[in-house]
Amino acid sequence: MAKGTNDAQLLIQSLRKAYASTPTSLKIIDLYVVYAVATALIQVAYMAMVGSFPFNSFLSGVLSCVGTAVLAVCLRIQVNKDNKEFKDLPPERAFADFVLCNLVLHLVIMNFLG
Amino acid sequence: MATSKVEGSSSLRHAFGGVLSVFILLLIGVVAFSIRLFSVIKYESVIHEFDPYFNYRVTQFLSKNGIYDFWNWFDDRTWYPLGRVIGGTVYPGLTLTAGTMWKLANSLNIPLSVETVCVFTAPIFSAFAAWATYLLTKEVKGPGAGITAAAILAMVPSYISRSVAGSYDNEAVAIFALIFTFYLYIKTLNTGSLFYATLNSFAYFYMVCSWGGYTFIINLIPMHVLLCIVTGRYSSRLYIAYAPLVVLGTLLAALVPVVGFNAVMTSEHFGSFLVFIIIHVVALVYYIKGILTPRLFKVATTLVLTVGIAVCAVVVAILVALVASSPTKGWSGRSLSLLDPTYASKYIPIIASVSEHQPPTWPSYFMDINVLAFLVPAGIVACFLPLSDASSFAVLYLVTSVYFSGVMVRLMLVLAPAACIMSGIALSEAFGVLTRSMKFHITKYFECSHTEAPAKLGESTSTESSAPLENMTKSDTTEKPEVARKEKVARRKQKKEKELTENAHVKPVSAKKEKRPLVLPLEASIVSVFLLIVLGGLYVLHCVWAAAEAYSAPSIVLTSHSHDGLHVFDDFREAYAWLRHNTEVDDKVASWWDYGYQTTAMANRTVIVDNNTWNNTHIATVGTAMSSPEKAAWEIFNSLDVKYVLVVFGGLVGYPSDDINKFLWMVRIGGGVFPHIKEADYLKDGQYRVDAQATHTMLNCLMYKLSYYRFVETDGKGFDRVRRYEIGKKHFKLTHFEEVFTTHHWMVRIYKLKPQKNRIRGKSRKSKLGSKSTSSKSGGMTHKNPWN
């Protein structure tokens, strides 16, 4: 078991070290993703306390958080320089796609929010 | 110099190819449109069948009153006295599309009527569907396969059957939406662009608006993602193709009122959420694998697995408990009947009674997809050489659609695009191999005639032919003797081709130096190309025949050829026109649910039940009324405020789809809700008959009486041309109904409910008083007829 905890500590340390070497722009995107997911979890907790009526508002709120998280992850994938599949894609194009998708997502959310 | 010249010529060839492709696609669109016009030419520009009349009525309402009234429309002229919320129960895609086209045409001062737009919506969208098939197959295999697949889809009889001019039904636009959604999904998968992912969500939204079959998409795409993950083809493009689609797609699906919260609550969508979670887990795993060393990654996996399995077990237990608590495990009846084909016949007789929901027979496969039936396996093999994400999707699509088409004949329509894609791939690959062989042999022949050095042949020809594929000929031809062994050798050599009946003798391919190009003997190639073209010609012939003879009947007008020419049976419209002009606007008409849509659309009268069949009890009420004796039926109809009863009778002319043939379903459905109607009462020795041997209940039920009233006056003997015997009870009078209209060929008969007598005199009064007291005493018994 001691070996297990040792391994776990070693694992966490190496994870932290590997993560520290990622560029700052990607870390900002990761922070944004964490924020979106946290907001979604807060909304779910609130729904558990207060009840789910009106359901469409709950659904649009949670799905907008999840949606922006997913789109941010897509942006991160496309902007990451280590990703060989997207080395021809200019980051401006990736960001433009990201903005467009977010616009569409939030348009739908506003319609569904009731 | 030489290289630029080669490049110049190849770019010129590409330019020519591009222009030619555009021209061919235009022609394909014209073919797709024209082949569906047979019904307009043979009959008239009229809306067919039953369901299209409802869509037509809704489109009329939309064009007259605008979209807000349409969205909030509550229809009180159907399912009297319940009404129907049209805005919330109809798939709006088709009507909105046609309404938009009508509005556009009229704003450009092209005066098309709503009916014209409705009739020609399906052919226009079938042309679009052919172009979408070109785009999809181009993504899967290449432009050549794309054009072949588009040409095949333009003519495939299965798709024609549901999209002729006049068949104004959901599938007309839904198949286009299906193929287009798949195309955008594959495009996103191939390019990894988020822009196409957004477009994909929009196409999926259009599909949800159009057809209930959208659940096929939202289950097929997660299956494909799962397949890619399991076969080790996970890539970040897969994540970009799938994850935004799930989020945006679910939101957009929830926007359509008919789907609403079902988008997150029914089992049909759970698959997509499950795979959504799975793909995130897989993405995380790959990310961590990328930033850790292998040893540490192994440690991480053991740690995560021990914790993860415990968490997973808890989550799965909760989910299973939630789903198992509902009786159908969260699936709707229609989806369950697809997964378990026997479900409908056991529990939902209405779904089982529709002829479109029966499993297809083997001949219907050859009728509907003809030559494609044996081109498809060749296409599957071609998809594996090489296997890419897109081609694995095509194979998965084909396999699932083959299964579902085997369950329900109506779903042959979903098989049609998959079969066309596969056949297009197969044909294109076959042509590629054959033309390459021909080119190789012809250039070799010319080289031979120019240079005398056969040793050079090896290099020049090997550089000229394309990169070597797995060489199928080398093992066969060099070792085996030259005796032609027709099918066996042919099948092994030409795996990608379909039936080969040529008996070309096998000439051994000349030995090559390093690369061995995949070539076939010249004679074999020429004969094969010729045979493939003949096959294509036969396919076209069959499609045109099927479109002209089998699938162009509007079923509201019937024709028959006899020795003195063409007879036209326009009885349905005659009856609806009579109703429209000779009854009050608020009169209620009762008939079997088949004719509900047509009655509301053409006769403009309120009906009791119609083709939507959403309320089984109401239909069972009408079925019970049709199965009961006159007095009981009159009571039931009077309680529903019915004024007129309509029956369809084919005995005089031999029209087989009349109400007497459907009567047993009325009994079954009625008996399912009201137990005093027992099917055995209407059968004599297990046989359904209406002649002199029929049971007493059968000869006295309302359907029999209304169908055969005064029938004996036509020929003196009462010979029923459909059942082919003389009827049982020939001379009888109707006590509670009076006949008001019978059409020219006796196909539609309309009766009016006689009003109740004002005063009851004598014997009937005493018995009525007596029966009333006895019935009040015995009211607590079970299995009592609720209508007495």
Side-chain angles (χ1 to χ4, degrees), chain B residues 214-247:
Chain B
Y214 75 90
T215 49
F216 181 64
I217 296 187
I218 203 63
N219 282 306
L220 182 67
I221 293 188
M223 270 208 293
H224 176 245
V225 170
L226 211 53
L227 179 75
C228 282
I229 292 178
V230 161
T231 54
R233 293 181 151 272
Y234 171 79
S235 63
S236 41
R237 289 172 290 121
L238 190 70
Y239 181 84
I240 295 181
Y242 183 64
L245 172 69
V246 169
V247 176

mmCIF file of all heavy atoms in Angstrom, chain B residues 214-247:
data_model
loop_
_atom_site.group_PDB
_atom_site.id
_atom_site.type_symbol
_atom_site.label_atom_id
_atom_site.label_comp_id
_atom_site.label_asym_id
_atom_site.label_seq_id
_atom_site.Cartn_x
_atom_site.Cartn_y
_atom_site.Cartn_z
ATOM 1 N N TYR B 214 -35.301 10.305 -37.384
ATOM 2 C CA TYR B 214 -34.037 10.942 -37.011
ATOM 3 C C TYR B 214 -33.317 10.153 -35.927
ATOM 4 O O TYR B 214 -32.097 10.288 -35.773
ATOM 5 C CB TYR B 214 -34.287 12.377 -36.529
ATOM 6 C CG TYR B 214 -34.885 12.460 -35.152
ATOM 7 C CD1 TYR B 214 -34.076 12.521 -34.029
ATOM 8 C CD2 TYR B 214 -36.258 12.439 -34.968
ATOM 9 C CE1 TYR B 214 -34.613 12.571 -32.774
ATOM 10 C CE2 TYR B 214 -36.802 12.486 -33.709
ATOM 11 C CZ TYR B 214 -35.979 12.556 -32.615
ATOM 12 O OH TYR B 214 -36.523 12.595 -31.377
ATOM 13 N N THR B 215 -34.064 9.315 -35.186
ATOM 14 C CA THR B 215 -33.415 8.519 -34.143
ATOM 15 C C THR B 215 -32.396 7.562 -34.736
ATOM 16 O O THR B 215 -31.474 7.120 -34.044
ATOM 17 C CB THR B 215 -34.447 7.701 -33.364
ATOM 18 O OG1 THR B 215 -35.291 7.025 -34.294
ATOM 19 C CG2 THR B 215 -35.285 8.590 -32.504
ATOM 20 N N PHE B 216 -32.569 7.262 -36.038
ATOM 21 C CA PHE B 216 -31.572 6.426 -36.689
ATOM 22 C C PHE B 216 -30.222 7.134 -36.722
ATOM 23 O O PHE B 216 -29.182 6.529 -36.451
ATOM 24 C CB PHE B 216 -32.055 6.110 -38.114
ATOM 25 C CG PHE B 216 -31.137 5.245 -38.889
ATOM 26 C CD1 PHE B 216 -30.877 3.951 -38.491
ATOM 27 C CD2 PHE B 216 -30.514 5.705 -40.033
ATOM 28 C CE1 PHE B 216 -30.025 3.143 -39.205
ATOM 29 C CE2 PHE B 216 -29.671 4.904 -40.757
ATOM 30 C CZ PHE B 216 -29.419 3.625 -40.347
ATOM 31 N N ILE B 217 -30.233 8.450 -37.014
ATOM 32 C CA ILE B 217 -28.974 9.185 -37.077
ATOM 33 C C ILE B 217 -28.330 9.260 -35.704
ATOM 34 O O ILE B 217 -27.131 9.019 -35.539
ATOM 35 C CB ILE B 217 -29.211 10.614 -37.596
ATOM 36 C CG1 ILE B 217 -29.726 10.581 -39.004
ATOM 37 C CG2 ILE B 217 -27.930 11.398 -37.545
ATOM 38 C CD1 ILE B 217 -29.801 11.951 -39.609
ATOM 39 N N ILE B 218 -29.164 9.599 -34.693
ATOM 40 C CA ILE B 218 -28.584 9.860 -33.384
ATOM 41 C C ILE B 218 -28.172 8.566 -32.701
ATOM 42 O O ILE B 218 -27.595 8.589 -31.623
ATOM 43 C CB ILE B 218 -29.568 10.664 -32.508
ATOM 44 C CG1 ILE B 218 -28.827 11.396 -31.421
ATOM 45 C CG2 ILE B 218 -30.644 9.794 -31.938
ATOM 46 C CD1 ILE B 218 -27.865 12.403 -31.912
ATOM 47 N N ASN B 219 -28.459 7.421 -33.322
ATOM 48 C CA ASN B 219 -27.925 6.174 -32.791
ATOM 49 C C ASN B 219 -26.825 5.611 -33.671
ATOM 50 O O ASN B 219 -25.931 4.918 -33.188
ATOM 51 C CB ASN B 219 -29.047 5.137 -32.647
ATOM 52 C CG ASN B 219 -29.882 5.405 -31.431
ATOM 53 O OD1 ASN B 219 -29.352 5.510 -30.344
ATOM 54 N ND2 ASN B 219 -31.162 5.562 -31.615
ATOM 55 N N LEU B 220 -26.874 5.918 -34.978
ATOM 56 C CA LEU B 220 -25.857 5.375 -35.868
ATOM 57 C C LEU B 220 -24.525 6.080 -35.651
ATOM 58 O O LEU B 220 -23.459 5.453 -35.620
ATOM 59 C CB LEU B 220 -26.309 5.545 -37.316
ATOM 60 C CG LEU B 220 -25.339 4.975 -38.339
ATOM 61 C CD1 LEU B 220 -25.279 3.495 -38.223
ATOM 62 C CD2 LEU B 220 -25.776 5.380 -39.725
ATOM 63 N N ILE B 221 -24.561 7.409 -35.499
ATOM 64 C CA ILE B 221 -23.301 8.143 -35.351
ATOM 65 C C ILE B 221 -22.579 7.747 -34.062
ATOM 66 O O ILE B 221 -21.361 7.504 -34.090
ATOM 67 C CB ILE B 221 -23.550 9.662 -35.455
ATOM 68 C CG1 ILE B 221 -23.981 9.987 -36.886
ATOM 69 C CG2 ILE B 221 -22.334 10.439 -35.075
ATOM 70 C CD1 ILE B 221 -24.086 11.456 -37.180
ATOM 71 N N PRO B 222 -23.254 7.640 -32.913
ATOM 72 C CA PRO B 222 -22.534 7.142 -31.734
ATOM 73 C C PRO B 222 -21.999 5.733 -31.921
ATOM 74 O O PRO B 222 -20.901 5.418 -31.451
ATOM 75 C CB PRO B 222 -23.597 7.170 -30.627
ATOM 76 C CG PRO B 222 -24.535 8.204 -31.051
ATOM 77 C CD PRO B 222 -24.585 8.132 -32.529
ATOM 78 N N MET B 223 -22.764 4.875 -32.631
ATOM 79 C CA MET B 223 -22.237 3.526 -32.879
ATOM 80 C C MET B 223 -20.947 3.600 -33.669
ATOM 81 O O MET B 223 -20.004 2.842 -33.419
ATOM 82 C CB MET B 223 -23.271 2.720 -33.679
ATOM 83 C CG MET B 223 -24.243 1.972 -32.818
ATOM 84 S SD MET B 223 -24.890 0.513 -33.585
ATOM 85 C CE MET B 223 -25.828 1.173 -34.887
ATOM 86 N N HIS B 224 -20.910 4.508 -34.649
ATOM 87 C CA HIS B 224 -19.702 4.610 -35.461
ATOM 88 C C HIS B 224 -18.542 5.136 -34.635
ATOM 89 O O HIS B 224 -17.403 4.669 -34.780
ATOM 90 C CB HIS B 224 -19.961 5.531 -36.656
ATOM 91 C CG HIS B 224 -18.759 5.766 -37.486
ATOM 92 N ND1 HIS B 224 -18.156 6.986 -37.621
ATOM 93 C CD2 HIS B 224 -18.014 4.911 -38.204
ATOM 94 C CE1 HIS B 224 -17.111 6.885 -38.391
ATOM 95 N NE2 HIS B 224 -17.005 5.630 -38.776
ATOM 96 N N VAL B 225 -18.820 6.115 -33.769
ATOM 97 C CA VAL B 225 -17.757 6.649 -32.912
ATOM 98 C C VAL B 225 -17.201 5.545 -32.022
ATOM 99 O O VAL B 225 -15.984 5.385 -31.865
ATOM 100 C CB VAL B 225 -18.299 7.819 -32.066
ATOM 101 C CG1 VAL B 225 -17.312 8.220 -31.010
ATOM 102 C CG2 VAL B 225 -18.621 8.987 -32.956
ATOM 103 N N LEU B 226 -18.128 4.745 -31.480
ATOM 104 C CA LEU B 226 -17.708 3.639 -30.638
ATOM 105 C C LEU B 226 -16.860 2.649 -31.426
ATOM 106 O O LEU B 226 -15.831 2.147 -30.953
ATOM 107 C CB LEU B 226 -18.951 2.947 -30.085
ATOM 108 C CG LEU B 226 -18.848 2.307 -28.721
ATOM 109 C CD1 LEU B 226 -18.327 3.285 -27.722
ATOM 110 C CD2 LEU B 226 -20.208 1.791 -28.305
ATOM 111 N N LEU B 227 -17.298 2.381 -32.654
ATOM 112 C CA LEU B 227 -16.544 1.460 -33.504
ATOM 113 C C LEU B 227 -15.141 1.995 -33.760
ATOM 114 O O LEU B 227 -14.150 1.258 -33.697
ATOM 115 C CB LEU B 227 -17.297 1.283 -34.831
ATOM 116 C CG LEU B 227 -16.639 0.361 -35.850
ATOM 117 C CD1 LEU B 227 -16.820 -1.054 -35.434
ATOM 118 C CD2 LEU B 227 -17.237 0.586 -37.222
ATOM 119 N N CYS B 228 -15.039 3.300 -34.038
ATOM 120 C CA CYS B 228 -13.714 3.879 -34.282
ATOM 121 C C CYS B 228 -12.835 3.777 -33.047
ATOM 122 O O CYS B 228 -11.644 3.461 -33.140
ATOM 123 C CB CYS B 228 -13.860 5.352 -34.693
ATOM 124 S SG CYS B 228 -14.360 5.569 -36.384
ATOM 125 N N ILE B 229 -13.431 4.055 -31.880
ATOM 126 C CA ILE B 229 -12.634 3.979 -30.658
ATOM 127 C C ILE B 229 -12.159 2.557 -30.431
ATOM 128 O O ILE B 229 -10.996 2.308 -30.111
ATOM 129 C CB ILE B 229 -13.465 4.479 -29.459
ATOM 130 C CG1 ILE B 229 -13.710 5.980 -29.596
ATOM 131 C CG2 ILE B 229 -12.766 4.167 -28.164
ATOM 132 C CD1 ILE B 229 -14.549 6.527 -28.505
ATOM 133 N N VAL B 230 -13.078 1.614 -30.612
ATOM 134 C CA VAL B 230 -12.739 0.226 -30.309
ATOM 135 C C VAL B 230 -11.709 -0.313 -31.288
ATOM 136 O O VAL B 230 -10.838 -1.109 -30.915
ATOM 137 C CB VAL B 230 -14.035 -0.619 -30.325
ATOM 138 C CG1 VAL B 230 -13.727 -2.072 -30.473
ATOM 139 C CG2 VAL B 230 -14.815 -0.383 -29.064
ATOM 140 N N THR B 231 -11.755 0.118 -32.547
ATOM 141 C CA THR B 231 -10.767 -0.377 -33.502
ATOM 142 C C THR B 231 -9.505 0.463 -33.510
ATOM 143 O O THR B 231 -8.689 0.361 -34.417
ATOM 144 C CB THR B 231 -11.354 -0.389 -34.922
ATOM 145 O OG1 THR B 231 -11.861 0.914 -35.215
ATOM 146 C CG2 THR B 231 -12.444 -1.412 -35.046
ATOM 147 N N GLY B 232 -9.352 1.314 -32.516
ATOM 148 C CA GLY B 232 -8.100 2.034 -32.394
ATOM 149 C C GLY B 232 -7.954 3.203 -33.345
ATOM 150 O O GLY B 232 -6.850 3.655 -33.629
ATOM 151 N N ARG B 233 -9.087 3.707 -33.863
ATOM 152 C CA ARG B 233 -8.989 4.824 -34.787
ATOM 153 C C ARG B 233 -9.367 6.137 -34.140
ATOM 154 O O ARG B 233 -9.848 7.052 -34.820
ATOM 155 C CB ARG B 233 -9.922 4.581 -35.977
ATOM 156 C CG ARG B 233 -9.483 3.439 -36.800
ATOM 157 C CD ARG B 233 -10.413 3.239 -37.971
ATOM 158 N NE ARG B 233 -9.669 2.666 -39.060
ATOM 159 C CZ ARG B 233 -9.021 3.380 -39.957
ATOM 160 N NH1 ARG B 233 -9.081 4.684 -39.908
ATOM 161 N NH2 ARG B 233 -8.347 2.800 -40.902
ATOM 162 N N TYR B 234 -9.172 6.236 -32.823
ATOM 163 C CA TYR B 234 -9.530 7.492 -32.195
ATOM 164 C C TYR B 234 -8.574 8.577 -32.660
ATOM 165 O O TYR B 234 -7.367 8.393 -32.711
ATOM 166 C CB TYR B 234 -9.464 7.381 -30.665
ATOM 167 C CG TYR B 234 -9.629 8.727 -30.032
ATOM 168 C CD1 TYR B 234 -10.888 9.290 -29.902
ATOM 169 C CD2 TYR B 234 -8.525 9.476 -29.621
ATOM 170 C CE1 TYR B 234 -11.044 10.535 -29.360
ATOM 171 C CE2 TYR B 234 -8.684 10.723 -29.086
ATOM 172 C CZ TYR B 234 -9.945 11.258 -28.956
ATOM 173 O OH TYR B 234 -10.097 12.502 -28.443
ATOM 174 N N SER B 235 -9.135 9.728 -33.014
ATOM 175 C CA SER B 235 -8.286 10.872 -33.338
ATOM 176 C C SER B 235 -9.013 12.107 -32.863
ATOM 177 O O SER B 235 -10.206 12.062 -32.565
ATOM 178 C CB SER B 235 -8.033 10.948 -34.834
ATOM 179 O OG SER B 235 -9.252 11.158 -35.496
ATOM 180 N N SER B 236 -8.310 13.219 -32.817
ATOM 181 C CA SER B 236 -8.967 14.434 -32.339
ATOM 182 C C SER B 236 -10.049 14.890 -33.311
ATOM 183 O O SER B 236 -10.995 15.565 -32.915
ATOM 184 C CB SER B 236 -7.941 15.530 -32.108
ATOM 185 O OG SER B 236 -6.998 15.520 -33.131
ATOM 186 N N ARG B 237 -9.913 14.477 -34.588
ATOM 187 C CA ARG B 237 -10.978 14.860 -35.528
ATOM 188 C C ARG B 237 -12.286 14.178 -35.145
ATOM 189 O O ARG B 237 -13.372 14.734 -35.324
ATOM 190 C CB ARG B 237 -10.599 14.448 -36.953
ATOM 191 C CG ARG B 237 -9.489 15.276 -37.552
ATOM 192 C CD ARG B 237 -9.043 14.694 -38.864
ATOM 193 N NE ARG B 237 -8.339 13.438 -38.666
ATOM 194 C CZ ARG B 237 -8.722 12.293 -39.185
ATOM 195 N NH1 ARG B 237 -9.792 12.229 -39.941
ATOM 196 N NH2 ARG B 237 -8.040 11.202 -38.955
ATOM 197 N N LEU B 238 -12.170 12.950 -34.607
ATOM 198 C CA LEU B 238 -13.375 12.239 -34.185
ATOM 199 C C LEU B 238 -14.080 13.008 -33.070
ATOM 200 O O LEU B 238 -15.296 13.158 -33.065
ATOM 201 C CB LEU B 238 -12.989 10.841 -33.702
ATOM 202 C CG LEU B 238 -14.145 9.883 -33.458
ATOM 203 C CD1 LEU B 238 -14.769 9.507 -34.771
ATOM 204 C CD2 LEU B 238 -13.658 8.650 -32.736
ATOM 205 N N TYR B 239 -13.264 13.536 -32.136
ATOM 206 C CA TYR B 239 -13.854 14.303 -31.045
ATOM 207 C C TYR B 239 -14.564 15.531 -31.585
ATOM 208 O O TYR B 239 -15.684 15.843 -31.200
ATOM 209 C CB TYR B 239 -12.759 14.718 -30.064
ATOM 210 C CG TYR B 239 -13.284 15.485 -28.901
ATOM 211 C CD1 TYR B 239 -13.807 14.842 -27.794
ATOM 212 C CD2 TYR B 239 -13.283 16.874 -28.918
ATOM 213 C CE1 TYR B 239 -14.310 15.545 -26.733
ATOM 214 C CE2 TYR B 239 -13.792 17.582 -27.861
ATOM 215 C CZ TYR B 239 -14.305 16.920 -26.772
ATOM 216 O OH TYR B 239 -14.825 17.623 -25.733
ATOM 217 N N ILE B 240 -13.899 16.234 -32.514
ATOM 218 C CA ILE B 240 -14.504 17.447 -33.060
ATOM 219 C C ILE B 240 -15.757 17.115 -33.854
ATOM 220 O O ILE B 240 -16.713 17.879 -33.887
ATOM 221 C CB ILE B 240 -13.483 18.198 -33.943
ATOM 222 C CG1 ILE B 240 -12.336 18.680 -33.084
ATOM 223 C CG2 ILE B 240 -14.133 19.355 -34.658
ATOM 224 C CD1 ILE B 240 -11.313 19.446 -33.839
ATOM 225 N N ALA B 241 -15.767 15.944 -34.501
ATOM 226 C CA ALA B 241 -16.954 15.583 -35.281
ATOM 227 C C ALA B 241 -18.119 15.225 -34.382
ATOM 228 O O ALA B 241 -19.272 15.456 -34.737
ATOM 229 C CB ALA B 241 -16.626 14.430 -36.208
ATOM 230 N N TYR B 242 -17.830 14.635 -33.212
ATOM 231 C CA TYR B 242 -18.933 14.068 -32.433
ATOM 232 C C TYR B 242 -19.419 14.975 -31.309
ATOM 233 O O TYR B 242 -20.613 15.193 -31.158
ATOM 234 C CB TYR B 242 -18.502 12.719 -31.859
ATOM 235 C CG TYR B 242 -19.618 12.057 -31.117
ATOM 236 C CD1 TYR B 242 -20.769 11.670 -31.763
ATOM 237 C CD2 TYR B 242 -19.545 11.855 -29.750
ATOM 238 C CE1 TYR B 242 -21.810 11.104 -31.088
ATOM 239 C CE2 TYR B 242 -20.587 11.273 -29.067
ATOM 240 C CZ TYR B 242 -21.708 10.903 -29.740
ATOM 241 O OH TYR B 242 -22.742 10.333 -29.061
ATOM 242 N N ALA B 243 -18.499 15.492 -30.481
ATOM 243 C CA ALA B 243 -18.934 16.172 -29.256
ATOM 244 C C ALA B 243 -19.806 17.409 -29.512
ATOM 245 O O ALA B 243 -20.865 17.543 -28.894
ATOM 246 C CB ALA B 243 -17.717 16.527 -28.399
ATOM 247 N N PRO B 244 -19.424 18.318 -30.427
ATOM 248 C CA PRO B 244 -20.331 19.458 -30.648
ATOM 249 C C PRO B 244 -21.678 19.025 -31.216
ATOM 250 O O PRO B 244 -22.698 19.655 -30.938
ATOM 251 C CB PRO B 244 -19.572 20.334 -31.647
ATOM 252 C CG PRO B 244 -18.168 19.918 -31.546
ATOM 253 C CD PRO B 244 -18.202 18.476 -31.220
ATOM 254 N N LEU B 245 -21.668 17.951 -32.022
ATOM 255 C CA LEU B 245 -22.928 17.481 -32.594
ATOM 256 C C LEU B 245 -23.883 17.058 -31.494
ATOM 257 O O LEU B 245 -25.078 17.363 -31.546
ATOM 258 C CB LEU B 245 -22.677 16.301 -33.541
ATOM 259 C CG LEU B 245 -23.939 15.600 -34.046
ATOM 260 C CD1 LEU B 245 -24.693 16.491 -34.984
ATOM 261 C CD2 LEU B 245 -23.596 14.304 -34.722
ATOM 262 N N VAL B 246 -23.356 16.372 -30.463
ATOM 263 C CA VAL B 246 -24.247 15.899 -29.409
ATOM 264 C C VAL B 246 -24.881 17.075 -28.685
ATOM 265 O O VAL B 246 -26.094 17.144 -28.507
ATOM 266 C CB VAL B 246 -23.487 15.003 -28.412
ATOM 267 C CG1 VAL B 246 -24.341 14.734 -27.195
ATOM 268 C CG2 VAL B 246 -23.145 13.694 -29.066
ATOM 269 N N VAL B 247 -24.034 18.047 -28.294
ATOM 270 C CA VAL B 247 -24.571 19.157 -27.503
ATOM 271 C C VAL B 247 -25.528 20.002 -28.339
ATOM 272 O O VAL B 247 -26.699 20.191 -27.988
ATOM 273 C CB VAL B 247 -23.415 20.024 -26.967
ATOM 274 C CG1 VAL B 247 -23.966 21.202 -26.234
ATOM 275 C CG2 VAL B 247 -22.525 19.210 -26.068
#
